[in-house]
Amino acid sequence: MDKIAISLTVNGRLRQALVPSRMLLSDFIRHELALPGTHVGCEHGVCGACNLLVDGKAVRSCLMFAVQLDGSTITTVEGFGQDDLHPIQHAFWEEHGLQCGFCTPGMLAAAKELLDHNPDPTDEEIREAIAGNLCRCTGYQYIINAIRSAAAKLRTTETEAA
């Protein structure tokens, strides 16, 4: 099988690899880069567990080939809080939005994309942002609370920095 050279930035680190043309991004991230935080659920793009950020946008890594991301910047759940928990992660912990944790990496990616573009979302906007992510444990209310809390934390942090 022919392999293709790719170069991408993953969690702030330049990564280069030779990958089969049909290797899924989720498999590349998990197996080639040893970043197991990206969960694989349905493998059909339905559940959102495999979401990660590509150039700031939440995408389903089980639906993309690694070669498609040549030159891109990827952030996985491992890249959210390099030295400490990211405010979104901390809010999920504080507000009990984690439960079993299987959907959490995908939820965090969806939340980060939302909050990067909308620092003060309504509950309806939060629901819409996470609508493509399935959770079997929380009933979503704790996750909505966590994202609302994270938004407040991030706004406070930005205000203090200014």
Side-chain angles (χ1 to χ4, degrees):
M1 182 181 294
D2 289 337
K3 292 190 176 187
I4 298 170
I6 61 171
S7 177
L8 29 92
T9 302
V10 180
N11 299 333
R13 183 173 162 207
L14 181 63
R15 305 297 294 258
Q16 297 178 325
L18 288 173
V19 297
S21 61
R22 298 189 55 81
M23 176 177 264
L24 295 174
L25 177 59
S26 55
D27 292 335
F28 176 71
I29 293 292
R30 290 178 56 79
H31 304 296
E32 301 301 316
L33 300 184
L35 296 169
T38 300
H39 294 161
V40 178
C42 68
E43 297 186 78
H44 295 287
V46 175
C47 72
C50 69
N51 276 0
L52 43 73
L53 296 170
V54 175
D55 299 326
K57 183 170 174 38
V59 301
R60 306 264 198 274
S61 64
C62 74
L63 296 180
M64 301 186 80
F65 295 121
V67 297
Q68 291 176 273
L69 284 298
D70 188 34
S72 296
T73 298
I74 297 173
T75 305
T76 69
V77 68
E78 290 91 347
F80 269 58
Q82 297 288 351
D83 298 322
D84 197 9
L85 291 178
H86 186 280
I88 298 172
Q89 291 171 307
H90 198 265
F92 267 68
W93 173 69
E94 281 182 330
E95 299 292 336
H96 309 287
L98 301 168
Q99 301 296 307
C100 82
F102 194 80
C103 72
T104 302
M107 289 288 187
L108 292 172
K112 178 124 177 42
E113 179 185 18
L114 170 67
L115 298 179
D116 283 350
H117 294 90
N118 182 354
D120 193 12
T122 65
D123 283 3
E124 185 58 36
E125 290 168 326
I126 293 170
R127 283 186 193 91
E128 185 177 323
I130 63 170
N133 295 67
L134 301 179
C135 175
R136 298 175 66 181
C137 301
T138 67
Y140 296 94
Q141 191 56 50
Y142 292 129
I143 294 169
I144 293 165
N145 294 348
I147 295 171
R148 189 182 327 111
S149 174
K153 286 177 188 299
L154 290 167
R155 286 192 312 272
T156 301
T157 303
E158 289 175 8
T159 302
E160 291 171 356

